[in-house]
Amino acid sequence: MLYPFLFGLLFLVLPALKYSNYSAALHQLYYDPNIENKNLAQKWLMQAQVSPQAWQFCWALLSPDKVPEIQYFGASALHTKISRYWSDIPTDQYESLKTQLFSQIACFSSGSKMVLTRLCVALASLALNTMPEAWPGAVAEMVRVFQEEGGGVDGRARCLALLELLTVLPEEFQTSRLPQYRKGQVRGALGREWGSVCPLLQQLLRRTDSPGAVKARVLRCLSSWVLLDVPLSESEGLVHDCFGALPDPELFDTAVEAIVNAISQPDSQRYVNTLLKLVPQVLALQEQLREAVQNGDMETCHGICRIAVTLGENHSRTLLEQVDHWQSFLALVNMIMFCTGIPGHYPVNETTSSLTLTFWYTLQDEIMSFESDKQAVYLQVYRPVYFQLVDVLLHKAQFPSDQEYASWSSDEKEQFRIYRVDISDTLMYVYEMLGAELLSNLYDKLGRLLTNAEQPTSWQHTEALLYGFQSIAETIDVNYSDVIPGLIGLIPRININNIQLADTVMFTIGALAEWLADHPVMLSSVLPLVLQALGNPDLSVSSVSTLKKICRECKYDLPPYATNIVAVSQEVLIKQIHKTSQCMWLMQALGFLLSALPVEDILRNLHSLITPYIQQLEKLADETPNPSNKLAIIHILGLLSNLFTTLDISKQDDESAEGSAPPVKTAPPQPGPNPVVVVLQQVFALIQTVLSKWLNDSQVVEAVCAIFEKSVKTLLHDFAPMVSQLSEMLGQMYSTIPQASALDLTRQMVHIFASETDHFPPIKALFELVTSVTLSIFQQGPRDHPDIVDSFMQLQAQALKRKPDLFLSESLDVKAVFHCGVLSLKFPEAPTVKSTCLFFTELLPHCSDVPPLARVVQEDGKLLVQAVLEGIGGGASRSLMDQFAEVLFSLNKNCFSLLAVWLKEALQPPGFPSSRITVDQKDNFSQQILRERVNKRRVKDIVKEFTLLCRGLHGTEYAAEY
């Protein structure tokens, strides 16, 4: 056994090792039960694999007396050396290396398959590195070498080895690390080699005496080559042969893969005649498809469907434009329709129908993209097809029988749920083509279903039709549809005897909430259903979300129902029927509802609604802190937060709320203090009591801050009466135990009230206090508090944006804040660095109007430049380069002459910001930055280019992805 301590020694003496040590290490990797030993062995072997000695030991490890695992490692080492360290190989060694690899492949053609494959991949890598200059006609030579007799290897084994080599060659090209210019050259060379490959594959596939294993390998090889964009016209004969292989169960899967790969290549749409020849070949598979359906052969159904969908999806426009062949394309569309409606329930009885959904999107897009005259002709043919599609999709969306559904696993149920969502999205998309007629069609079917007393209906059929309505109404404006009143009238007639049906009824009502706001007279038809469903825990999500939507959209029409809604909601909350998240939604719903009531009614309802929770909170505040009462406290605070999030008695100016601007609010239409403020003032002392016991717990502090933060966001200036006492409480909280949530709330307060003369003194005092406390954290070491640093930088940025006068105070140590920012730029957490960059981009423009800021930038700006350059040079994530670029841009715009000096001084030391950068590259970077004082996008590009140079990534595949 190779003991762990020995690995350190092995690392030291690696150049002197013999291959027996590698054998021992491999034995430990594969067979030692100790995971630590395995990891050590793997680490050592990976280093050995890239060492110069790998060229010697890899051949020895391929010796016939070694076990396959050791031989595999030798072959892998060869591939690693050739693919990653090609430049190490002298040019005069290319030929002998190639000869050795050919020899080894011949030896292993009758040996271990996994070793053979790795050797083929190694030779493929060699070919890619040498073609076309050093090894012209590489593929032709491979074919010739393996077709020659000799070496004691039988013909079948040689043939399979050649096919393996030809298969991995294009695959190795796809994953190779060749530079971009070389990739283009090699792709062209490989394309020219297709002439050597195609006849061989055709010959082997068409010979009646070719073994199944050979034909399967031929099909795999074709799949691999067509991914190199081999022209479809040149592979047409082979693709035709693939269709001939489909009846053979042993070849079916590989034949499907080859056909799909061939016809899905982007370039294949150029070959219209070839595509037209493929359509009848695909249609000829319908008999095999029907037999597979009858026999329950899901794999065959799946494969044939893939072929039909690939042809239709990739070439819809090309085939639509061939008007002389419209009937054959329509037949293909109908074949895909059969696949969409394949019998059985997804995913238990079939998994094919889901493959077809994107085809219907594609076909619709192509039809709707034609000019109006052409479009009208196509719509005449395809609108009936899409109406049929709706029927098929709604049938597929139906639930199975209760008994069958109960037997499904949770994973199957989840897959079915996702499948129904995909159907829903498709129906919504189809509405764009079929329009209001689709809703009328659904309504007529539902009406016949619910009013036909003679013919009993299944709940599944009713549910599916409602699901169709819901899918469309959720995203499409149905306010002008003339069938919605009839639908609302039909809903109470539904015999709701099943949870799935009840869920869909709820979601359908929720989807129609905006329509109900325009037709409030219909609320009385559906609201009782929603309130009744609230009491059923199985309908928790659907009933609560629907009530929330109705309360949000229809709040001004709900006062007559308010008493009943509040009473039912209170009852279900007290009974704890719903989970926490639904309780929060319910409180938001009640907030919307109460917003439309007179103030005295709001206060009365608030009193009855929250008194039980206040009493419970008082009791919990007296108890000794423990995990159980902590959860209860957080729950109650969460309920209050969510209630105050939506309880807003001011009127919204809807037009001004568009876009990113915050909604503009007019003066409250009702006199007196805001009800939320009244309640907060009443419970303020209680919240302080809770805080006094739970100040060490960040989650409780966060929950307390959330109440005020959400109230401030909702009430805006109506929150004014509480500014002074909340500022005092926040200061006490943060002074005792600093937490990020307190800083975030302070930021909200600064945002809204810092500019108001009446509230400036308490806001100023709070801002100075939390700044002072945070500066002391920086003195003690801030690395353990990245969240506080992040929130602190956001607060400082907000203060600079809203009230830069805060930085004129003598009580504020502006220099220390600046230094904290410089330090924060070096944090490893990306969000913290982003917030810090934002702080500096807000600070720098104020050098002209805030003298303390101007002084500190003049004195210490070089430190900022050094920190930014350090991040660009490799000290920070590449994802942050845009933010660093913005800081440099702001420096250039506001401190141009100083920046020129700072850049020169900062870049002077050798090796800074990276040892990979030359003096000329530094000078060029400085000049480029200093030139750009207007184009921020250009500065970002300059910084990205420079950081790639600093990291040694310029011109690599990583740079291409950047």
Tab-separated table of all heavy atoms in Angstrom, residues 484-525:
chain	number	residue	atom	x	y	z
A	484	ILE	N	-66.795	36.391	-21.267
A	484	ILE	CA	-66.413	36.322	-19.852
A	484	ILE	C	-67.627	36.429	-18.920
A	484	ILE	O	-67.704	35.678	-17.940
A	484	ILE	CB	-65.343	37.386	-19.514
A	484	ILE	CG1	-64.102	37.201	-20.412
A	484	ILE	CG2	-64.944	37.291	-18.047
A	484	ILE	CD1	-63.415	35.858	-20.278
A	485	PRO	N	-68.600	37.317	-19.196
A	485	PRO	CA	-69.786	37.326	-18.310
A	485	PRO	C	-70.475	35.966	-18.244
A	485	PRO	O	-70.899	35.518	-17.174
A	485	PRO	CB	-70.704	38.370	-18.956
A	485	PRO	CG	-69.790	39.241	-19.746
A	485	PRO	CD	-68.693	38.365	-20.225
A	486	GLY	N	-70.541	35.309	-19.403
A	486	GLY	CA	-71.151	33.977	-19.426
A	486	GLY	C	-70.331	32.972	-18.625
A	486	GLY	O	-70.876	32.135	-17.909
A	487	LEU	N	-68.998	33.081	-18.737
A	487	LEU	CA	-68.121	32.185	-17.979
A	487	LEU	C	-68.314	32.381	-16.477
A	487	LEU	O	-68.438	31.415	-15.720
A	487	LEU	CB	-66.656	32.441	-18.363
A	487	LEU	CG	-65.593	31.714	-17.526
A	487	LEU	CD1	-65.722	30.205	-17.679
A	487	LEU	CD2	-64.188	32.164	-17.912
A	488	ILE	N	-68.341	33.660	-16.037
A	488	ILE	CA	-68.557	33.954	-14.611
A	488	ILE	C	-69.898	33.385	-14.158
A	488	ILE	O	-70.032	32.878	-13.041
A	488	ILE	CB	-68.504	35.482	-14.362
A	488	ILE	CG1	-67.104	36.038	-14.672
A	488	ILE	CG2	-68.901	35.815	-12.933
A	488	ILE	CD1	-66.031	35.686	-13.683
A	489	GLY	N	-70.869	33.450	-15.059
A	489	GLY	CA	-72.187	32.891	-14.727
A	489	GLY	C	-72.178	31.372	-14.639
A	489	GLY	O	-72.961	30.777	-13.873
A	490	LEU	N	-71.278	30.744	-15.425
A	490	LEU	CA	-71.219	29.267	-15.416
A	490	LEU	C	-70.483	28.721	-14.194
A	490	LEU	O	-70.779	27.615	-13.727
A	490	LEU	CB	-70.504	28.768	-16.680
A	490	LEU	CG	-71.287	28.787	-18.002
A	490	LEU	CD1	-70.376	28.385	-19.154
A	490	LEU	CD2	-72.496	27.860	-17.932
A	491	ILE	N	-69.520	29.474	-13.661
A	491	ILE	CA	-68.671	28.958	-12.586
A	491	ILE	C	-69.473	28.454	-11.382
A	491	ILE	O	-69.202	27.354	-10.874
A	491	ILE	CB	-67.609	30.013	-12.186
A	491	ILE	CG1	-66.506	30.057	-13.269
A	491	ILE	CG2	-66.980	29.693	-10.831
A	491	ILE	CD1	-65.444	31.115	-13.059
A	492	PRO	N	-70.473	29.208	-10.898
A	492	PRO	CA	-71.242	28.681	-9.748
A	492	PRO	C	-71.996	27.382	-10.049
A	492	PRO	O	-72.416	26.682	-9.120
A	492	PRO	CB	-72.213	29.822	-9.423
A	492	PRO	CG	-71.573	31.053	-9.989
A	492	PRO	CD	-70.879	30.584	-11.224
A	493	ARG	N	-72.170	27.066	-11.338
A	493	ARG	CA	-72.903	25.837	-11.702
A	493	ARG	C	-72.005	24.601	-11.687
A	493	ARG	O	-72.488	23.479	-11.841
A	493	ARG	CB	-73.510	25.994	-13.105
A	493	ARG	CG	-74.473	27.166	-13.222
A	493	ARG	CD	-75.123	27.209	-14.590
A	493	ARG	NE	-75.912	26.008	-14.846
A	493	ARG	CZ	-76.878	25.940	-15.774
A	493	ARG	NH1	-77.174	27.006	-16.487
A	493	ARG	NH2	-77.532	24.825	-15.983
A	494	ILE	N	-70.717	24.833	-11.533
A	494	ILE	CA	-69.789	23.691	-11.556
A	494	ILE	C	-69.920	22.907	-10.256
A	494	ILE	O	-69.884	23.468	-9.163
A	494	ILE	CB	-68.340	24.184	-11.742
A	494	ILE	CG1	-68.188	24.883	-13.100
A	494	ILE	CG2	-67.346	23.026	-11.650
A	494	ILE	CD1	-66.849	25.590	-13.286
A	495	ASN	N	-70.046	21.609	-10.403
A	495	ASN	CA	-70.104	20.731	-9.225
A	495	ASN	C	-68.664	20.450	-8.777
A	495	ASN	O	-67.993	19.576	-9.304
A	495	ASN	CB	-70.829	19.427	-9.584
A	495	ASN	CG	-70.853	18.465	-8.407
A	495	ASN	OD1	-70.745	18.886	-7.253
A	495	ASN	ND2	-70.990	17.176	-8.698
A	496	ILE	N	-68.216	21.242	-7.785
A	496	ILE	CA	-66.808	21.147	-7.361
A	496	ILE	C	-66.673	20.032	-6.325
A	496	ILE	O	-66.932	20.229	-5.142
A	496	ILE	CB	-66.314	22.492	-6.791
A	496	ILE	CG1	-66.498	23.597	-7.840
A	496	ILE	CG2	-64.848	22.393	-6.369
A	496	ILE	CD1	-66.139	24.983	-7.354
A	497	ASN	N	-66.274	18.868	-6.820
A	497	ASN	CA	-66.171	17.701	-5.937
A	497	ASN	C	-64.755	17.129	-5.914
A	497	ASN	O	-64.555	15.970	-5.585
A	497	ASN	CB	-67.172	16.617	-6.380
A	497	ASN	CG	-66.976	16.237	-7.841
A	497	ASN	OD1	-66.050	16.729	-8.495
A	497	ASN	ND2	-67.847	15.383	-8.345
A	498	ASN	N	-63.782	17.984	-6.295
A	498	ASN	CA	-62.425	17.483	-6.427
A	498	ASN	C	-61.435	18.624	-6.197
A	498	ASN	O	-61.682	19.747	-6.624
A	498	ASN	CB	-62.252	16.894	-7.844
A	498	ASN	CG	-60.849	16.409	-8.094
A	498	ASN	OD1	-59.987	17.208	-8.440
A	498	ASN	ND2	-60.611	15.123	-7.910
A	499	ILE	N	-60.326	18.327	-5.523
A	499	ILE	CA	-59.359	19.370	-5.177
A	499	ILE	C	-58.754	20.002	-6.424
A	499	ILE	O	-58.616	21.235	-6.510
A	499	ILE	CB	-58.239	18.797	-4.278
A	499	ILE	CG1	-58.793	18.441	-2.901
A	499	ILE	CG2	-57.076	19.784	-4.140
A	499	ILE	CD1	-59.343	19.624	-2.124
A	500	GLN	N	-58.369	19.190	-7.417
A	500	GLN	CA	-57.754	19.752	-8.622
A	500	GLN	C	-58.716	20.685	-9.353
A	500	GLN	O	-58.320	21.760	-9.819
A	500	GLN	CB	-57.299	18.634	-9.570
A	500	GLN	CG	-56.010	17.953	-9.171
A	500	GLN	CD	-56.228	16.834	-8.164
A	500	GLN	OE1	-57.339	16.314	-8.033
A	500	GLN	NE2	-55.184	16.477	-7.440
A	501	LEU	N	-59.981	20.291	-9.436
A	501	LEU	CA	-60.988	21.133	-10.082
A	501	LEU	C	-61.176	22.426	-9.293
A	501	LEU	O	-61.231	23.523	-9.860
A	501	LEU	CB	-62.315	20.368	-10.191
A	501	LEU	CG	-63.504	21.147	-10.767
A	501	LEU	CD1	-63.191	21.698	-12.150
A	501	LEU	CD2	-64.751	20.252	-10.816
A	502	ALA	N	-61.257	22.305	-7.963
A	502	ALA	CA	-61.439	23.486	-7.116
A	502	ALA	C	-60.253	24.444	-7.277
A	502	ALA	O	-60.432	25.671	-7.356
A	502	ALA	CB	-61.580	23.063	-5.660
A	503	ASP	N	-59.049	23.890	-7.333
A	503	ASP	CA	-57.850	24.714	-7.534
A	503	ASP	C	-57.949	25.523	-8.827
A	503	ASP	O	-57.677	26.726	-8.859
A	503	ASP	CB	-56.609	23.806	-7.613
A	503	ASP	CG	-55.717	23.943	-6.378
A	503	ASP	OD1	-55.834	24.953	-5.662
A	503	ASP	OD2	-54.916	23.027	-6.137
A	504	THR	N	-58.338	24.846	-9.906
A	504	THR	CA	-58.415	25.511	-11.207
A	504	THR	C	-59.520	26.552	-11.224
A	504	THR	O	-59.365	27.621	-11.838
A	504	THR	CB	-58.604	24.468	-12.327
A	504	THR	OG1	-57.519	23.533	-12.273
A	504	THR	CG2	-58.629	25.111	-13.699
A	505	VAL	N	-60.647	26.273	-10.555
A	505	VAL	CA	-61.718	27.277	-10.439
A	505	VAL	C	-61.162	28.536	-9.765
A	505	VAL	O	-61.373	29.666	-10.212
A	505	VAL	CB	-62.922	26.719	-9.655
A	505	VAL	CG1	-63.901	27.837	-9.303
A	505	VAL	CG2	-63.638	25.643	-10.465
A	506	MET	N	-60.417	28.324	-8.667
A	506	MET	CA	-59.839	29.471	-7.943
A	506	MET	C	-58.875	30.256	-8.843
A	506	MET	O	-58.959	31.479	-8.943
A	506	MET	CB	-59.073	28.986	-6.708
A	506	MET	CG	-59.923	28.535	-5.547
A	506	MET	SD	-60.961	29.849	-4.909
A	506	MET	CE	-62.560	29.262	-5.475
A	507	PHE	N	-57.954	29.559	-9.478
A	507	PHE	CA	-56.962	30.232	-10.309
A	507	PHE	C	-57.621	30.959	-11.489
A	507	PHE	O	-57.163	32.016	-11.920
A	507	PHE	CB	-55.905	29.254	-10.812
A	507	PHE	CG	-54.885	28.858	-9.773
A	507	PHE	CD1	-54.632	27.514	-9.495
A	507	PHE	CD2	-54.183	29.832	-9.073
A	507	PHE	CE1	-53.687	27.162	-8.529
A	507	PHE	CE2	-53.233	29.484	-8.117
A	507	PHE	CZ	-52.994	28.149	-7.842
A	508	THR	N	-58.712	30.390	-12.025
A	508	THR	CA	-59.433	31.038	-13.128
A	508	THR	C	-60.073	32.333	-12.652
A	508	THR	O	-59.995	33.369	-13.331
A	508	THR	CB	-60.510	30.088	-13.695
A	508	THR	OG1	-59.892	28.859	-14.102
A	508	THR	CG2	-61.200	30.711	-14.897
A	509	ILE	N	-60.683	32.306	-11.467
A	509	ILE	CA	-61.276	33.535	-10.905
A	509	ILE	C	-60.173	34.577	-10.686
A	509	ILE	O	-60.337	35.755	-11.009
A	509	ILE	CB	-62.013	33.234	-9.581
A	509	ILE	CG1	-63.229	32.332	-9.839
A	509	ILE	CG2	-62.452	34.520	-8.892
A	509	ILE	CD1	-63.878	31.786	-8.579
A	510	GLY	N	-59.030	34.118	-10.158
A	510	GLY	CA	-57.910	35.037	-9.942
A	510	GLY	C	-57.417	35.656	-11.239
A	510	GLY	O	-57.093	36.850	-11.292
A	511	ALA	N	-57.390	34.857	-12.311
A	511	ALA	CA	-56.931	35.366	-13.613
A	511	ALA	C	-57.892	36.415	-14.169
A	511	ALA	O	-57.503	37.239	-14.997
A	511	ALA	CB	-56.796	34.204	-14.597
A	512	LEU	N	-59.147	36.399	-13.694
A	512	LEU	CA	-60.159	37.344	-14.181
A	512	LEU	C	-60.333	38.544	-13.250
A	512	LEU	O	-61.299	39.303	-13.387
A	512	LEU	CB	-61.499	36.616	-14.344
A	512	LEU	CG	-61.525	35.504	-15.408
A	512	LEU	CD1	-62.821	34.720	-15.332
A	512	LEU	CD2	-61.338	36.083	-16.804
A	513	ALA	N	-59.397	38.726	-12.304
A	513	ALA	CA	-59.548	39.799	-11.312
A	513	ALA	C	-59.631	41.177	-11.969
A	513	ALA	O	-60.439	42.020	-11.563
A	513	ALA	CB	-58.388	39.742	-10.315
A	514	GLU	N	-58.810	41.429	-12.992
A	514	GLU	CA	-58.845	42.737	-13.654
A	514	GLU	C	-60.184	42.943	-14.350
A	514	GLU	O	-60.735	44.050	-14.351
A	514	GLU	CB	-57.701	42.856	-14.661
A	514	GLU	CG	-56.337	43.041	-14.009
A	514	GLU	CD	-55.241	43.271	-15.048
A	514	GLU	OE1	-55.491	44.000	-16.027
A	514	GLU	OE2	-54.148	42.714	-14.878
A	515	TRP	N	-60.704	41.867	-14.938
A	515	TRP	CA	-62.022	41.969	-15.596
A	515	TRP	C	-63.097	42.274	-14.555
A	515	TRP	O	-63.983	43.105	-14.781
A	515	TRP	CB	-62.331	40.644	-16.318
A	515	TRP	CG	-63.612	40.693	-17.113
A	515	TRP	CD1	-63.766	41.064	-18.414
A	515	TRP	CD2	-64.917	40.362	-16.632
A	515	TRP	NE1	-65.080	40.994	-18.785
A	515	TRP	CE2	-65.817	40.567	-17.709
A	515	TRP	CE3	-65.418	39.922	-15.415
A	515	TRP	CZ2	-67.185	40.339	-17.598
A	515	TRP	CZ3	-66.786	39.703	-15.294
A	515	TRP	CH2	-67.663	39.897	-16.364
A	516	LEU	N	-63.010	41.638	-13.392
A	516	LEU	CA	-63.988	41.878	-12.325
A	516	LEU	C	-63.934	43.328	-11.844
A	516	LEU	O	-64.954	43.896	-11.453
A	516	LEU	CB	-63.723	40.927	-11.152
A	516	LEU	CG	-64.088	39.455	-11.386
A	516	LEU	CD1	-63.482	38.572	-10.296
A	516	LEU	CD2	-65.599	39.271	-11.430
A	517	ALA	N	-62.739	43.940	-11.880
A	517	ALA	CA	-62.625	45.344	-11.473
A	517	ALA	C	-63.425	46.243	-12.413
A	517	ALA	O	-63.963	47.276	-11.989
A	517	ALA	CB	-61.157	45.762	-11.454
A	518	ASP	N	-63.513	45.854	-13.680
A	518	ASP	CA	-64.303	46.631	-14.651
A	518	ASP	C	-65.771	46.227	-14.657
A	518	ASP	O	-66.606	46.920	-15.245
A	518	ASP	CB	-63.727	46.450	-16.063
A	518	ASP	CG	-62.359	47.101	-16.213
A	518	ASP	OD1	-62.084	48.050	-15.453
A	518	ASP	OD2	-61.571	46.656	-17.068
A	519	HIS	N	-66.078	45.090	-14.032
A	519	HIS	CA	-67.465	44.593	-13.993
A	519	HIS	C	-67.795	44.140	-12.566
A	519	HIS	O	-68.047	42.960	-12.309
A	519	HIS	CB	-67.637	43.411	-14.970
A	519	HIS	CG	-67.204	43.727	-16.381
A	519	HIS	ND1	-65.884	43.663	-16.785
A	519	HIS	CD2	-67.906	44.122	-17.473
A	519	HIS	CE1	-65.800	43.989	-18.064
A	519	HIS	NE2	-67.013	44.278	-18.510
A	520	PRO	N	-67.787	45.100	-11.620
A	520	PRO	CA	-67.914	44.733	-10.202
A	520	PRO	C	-69.223	44.062	-9.839
A	520	PRO	O	-69.296	43.390	-8.805
A	520	PRO	CB	-67.756	46.074	-9.473
A	520	PRO	CG	-68.047	47.119	-10.499
A	520	PRO	CD	-67.625	46.559	-11.800
A	521	VAL	N	-70.211	44.218	-10.696
A	521	VAL	CA	-71.509	43.598	-10.386
A	521	VAL	C	-71.394	42.072	-10.325
A	521	VAL	O	-72.192	41.397	-9.675
A	521	VAL	CB	-72.563	44.031	-11.446
A	521	VAL	CG1	-72.272	43.390	-12.795
A	521	VAL	CG2	-73.978	43.707	-10.987
A	522	MET	N	-70.348	41.529	-10.974
A	522	MET	CA	-70.177	40.071	-11.012
A	522	MET	C	-69.429	39.537	-9.789
A	522	MET	O	-69.306	38.323	-9.622
A	522	MET	CB	-69.415	39.654	-12.283
A	522	MET	CG	-70.030	40.109	-13.591
A	522	MET	SD	-71.711	39.490	-13.837
A	522	MET	CE	-71.391	37.782	-14.216
A	523	LEU	N	-68.921	40.430	-8.931
A	523	LEU	CA	-68.184	39.968	-7.741
A	523	LEU	C	-69.032	39.062	-6.859
A	523	LEU	O	-68.533	38.094	-6.277
A	523	LEU	CB	-67.688	41.167	-6.926
A	523	LEU	CG	-66.412	41.846	-7.415
A	523	LEU	CD1	-66.223	43.197	-6.729
A	523	LEU	CD2	-65.210	40.944	-7.168
A	524	SER	N	-70.304	39.385	-6.763
A	524	SER	CA	-71.180	38.601	-5.868
A	524	SER	C	-71.326	37.155	-6.326
A	524	SER	O	-71.691	36.280	-5.536
A	524	SER	CB	-72.561	39.255	-5.778
A	524	SER	OG	-73.134	39.347	-7.082
A	525	SER	N	-71.016	36.889	-7.610
A	525	SER	CA	-71.123	35.506	-8.117
A	525	SER	C	-69.953	34.631	-7.686
A	525	SER	O	-70.114	33.420	-7.504
A	525	SER	CB	-71.195	35.506	-9.652
A	525	SER	OG	-72.312	36.214	-10.104
